[in-house]
Amino acid sequence: ISEFLLLALADTQQLQLLHFWLLLGIYLAALLGNGLISTAVACNHRLHTPMYFFLLNLALLDLGCISTTLPKAMANALWHTRAISYAGCAAQVFFFFFLYSAEYSLLTIMSYDRYVAICKPLHYGTLLGSRACATMAAAAWGTGLLCALLHTANTFSLPLCKGNAVDQFFCEIPQLVKLSCSKSYLREDGLLLFSICLSFGCFVFIVVSYVQIFRAVLRMPSEQGRHKAFSTCLPHLAVVSLLVSMGFLAYVKPHSQSSPFLDVTVALLYSVVPPTLNPIIYSMRNQEIKHALRKLLQYVHYSSFNKVPIFLT
C-alpha cells in the first residue's frame, strides 16, 4: 500500500467547500486562541508560575494536536480528494498520538498542581519549584513520545489485507487496525488495552485529586477564595472529562458497533473541540489571563501605530 483514502466529509463538491470554510474557521480560532495564551504567558512575568507554565505547555500541545489533523482534512475538502500518502499517514498517527498522550499526561500533572495549591498551599513553593515543574513537563512530553513510538511502530507493522479506505477524516489507529488481517490486530489491541489501563490510572488520580480539592474548597471561609478555586478547577475538570470520555469511546468500542457518522462525531469531539475551546475555557473566568491579554493587545496596538514600547509586567 502506497497511500490511504481518508473519509470524505461530504459527497458533493459544494458541501466539501462548505466543510473547508468551516474547518478553516475552527482552525484559525484555535491558532489565534492558543497563540494568544502562549504569548501572554511567555511575555507577562506575573504569569511565570507553575499553573501558567503548565497552561503554556497545554496551549502548545493544542496547537500541535489541531495542526496534525485539520490541515490535511481542509486540503482534501478544498481539492475534492481523499488520498494521503503512506508516510503522511504514519506521520499523522505518530504526531497525533504523541501530542494527545502528552496532553493527557499534562492534564494529570495540572490536577496535582491544583491539589497542592489548594490543599497544601504552604508546601507549594517546595513541591512545585521551577526544576520540579520542568521535570514534570518533560515527563509528560516524554511519555507522549514513548507511547507514540510504540503504537505507530506496532500499527504500521500489521499486515493490511482489507483495502486502504480509512473510515475517518484523519489516520486514526482504530480505523487502521480495522484494515488489518484477522488475528494480526490482537497485538495492537493488547497494547491499546495496556495504554487504556495507564490512562484509567491517571483518571483515578485526577478524580481523587479533585475530590480532595472540592472538600478543601467547601471548607474555605472566604466566598472569593471559593470562587477563585472553582474558576481554575472546573474548566480543567471539564476538559479532562471530554478528553477521557470521547477518547475512551473512540478506542474501546467494538469494531462491529462503529459507524462513519459516530466515528467522525467522536473524533471531532476529542481532537478538534478541546484545542479550540481550551483558550476560551481557561481565559473566560481567569482574571489574570484577561489582564495579560489586554496588556498584550495594548502592546501590539501601540507598537503598530505609535511605536511606543510597553513592557508587559
Side-chain angles (χ1 to χ4, degrees):
I1 295 177
S2 60
E3 66 176 18
F4 292 94
L5 298 178
L6 299 176
L7 182 68
L9 295 175
D11 298 327
T12 65
Q13 191 167 4
Q14 290 78 10
L15 285 177
Q16 288 275 48
L17 287 174
L18 178 62
H19 282 100
F20 165 77
W21 289 111
L22 180 61
L23 293 177
L24 179 62
I26 294 172
Y27 184 56
L28 292 177
L31 290 183
L32 179 63
N34 287 292
L36 282 174
I37 284 186
S38 302
T39 307
V41 173
C43 294
N44 195 309
H45 294 292
R46 291 181 180 177
L47 300 184
H48 290 181
T49 63
M51 184 177 78
Y52 293 108
F53 171 72
F54 294 132
L55 184 58
L56 170 62
N57 279 266
L58 182 65
L60 294 176
L61 287 169
D62 281 337
L63 284 172
C65 276
I66 202 162
S67 296
T68 301
T69 57
L70 281 198
K72 182 58 181 174
M74 288 189 295
N76 284 359
L78 181 62
W79 302 113
H80 201 56
T81 182
R82 297 172 54 197
I84 183 173
S85 66
Y86 187 92
C89 186
Q92 222 179 35
V93 168
F94 172 78
F95 282 108
F96 182 76
F97 213 91
F98 163 46
L99 296 164
Y100 184 83
S101 301
E103 180 163 337
Y104 186 62
S105 301
L106 186 68
L107 289 170
T108 306
I109 293 169
M110 290 173 73
S111 71
Y112 174 71
D113 168 69
R114 291 297 84 207
Y115 165 75
V116 175
I118 293 172
C119 299
K120 299 181 181 294
L122 298 179
H123 302 282
Y124 189 73
T126 305
L127 296 175
L128 285 157
S130 57
R131 180 174 294 183
C133 290
T135 301
M136 287 188 283
W141 288 80
T143 300
L145 179 62
L146 179 61
C147 289
L149 286 172
L150 288 174
H151 283 283
T152 305
N154 197 46
T155 299
F156 285 90
S157 67
L158 298 175
L160 305 179
C161 56
K162 297 180 181 178
N164 65 339
V166 180
D167 290 333
Q168 191 55 272
F169 67 92
F170 67 96
C171 286
E172 187 184 44
I173 288 179
Q175 303 302 328
L176 292 170
V177 169
K178 286 167 62 177
L179 303 178
S180 63
C181 303
S182 58
K183 303 295 182 182
S184 62
Y185 64 85
L186 294 177
R187 184 176 58 192
E188 174 59 21
D189 279 356
L191 189 56
L192 281 174
L193 182 61
F194 176 72
S195 297
I196 288 166
C197 289
L198 290 179
S199 300
F200 182 73
C202 291
F203 183 68
V204 170
F205 178 85
I206 292 170
V207 170
V208 171
S209 298
Y210 274 101
V211 168
Q212 298 298 319
I213 287 170
F214 290 139
R215 287 177 62 187
V217 168
L218 292 175
R219 290 198 299 265
M220 285 183 178
S222 169
E223 184 177 348
Q224 185 178 2
R226 288 197 300 269
H227 175 76
K228 184 177 180 180
F230 279 122
S231 68
T232 56
C233 293
L234 290 178
H236 178 240
L237 191 58
V239 172
V240 170
S241 300
L242 182 64
L243 274 176
V244 171
S245 58
M246 293 300 103
F248 185 82
L249 188 59
Y251 283 84
V252 175
K253 70 178 184 300
H255 299 161
S256 58
Q257 296 181 8
S258 63
S259 66
F261 176 76
L262 176 62
D263 291 340
V264 170
T265 302
V266 170
L268 285 171
L269 286 174
Y270 82 86
S271 67
V272 175
V273 173
T276 307
L277 292 185
N278 275 351
I280 301 173
I281 290 173
Y282 280 101
S283 63
M284 193 164 52
R285 299 184 64 185
N286 191 308
Q287 295 301 321
E288 292 176 315
I289 286 287
K290 287 181 180 179
H291 176 73
L293 289 175
R294 279 195 297 268
K295 297 289 290 183
L296 177 64
L297 294 175
Q298 287 175 10
Y299 173 80
V300 173
H301 174 76
Y302 284 108
S303 296
S304 301
F305 295 101
N306 299 329
K307 305 298 182 183
V308 175
I310 292 180
F311 298 98
L312 303 183
T313 57

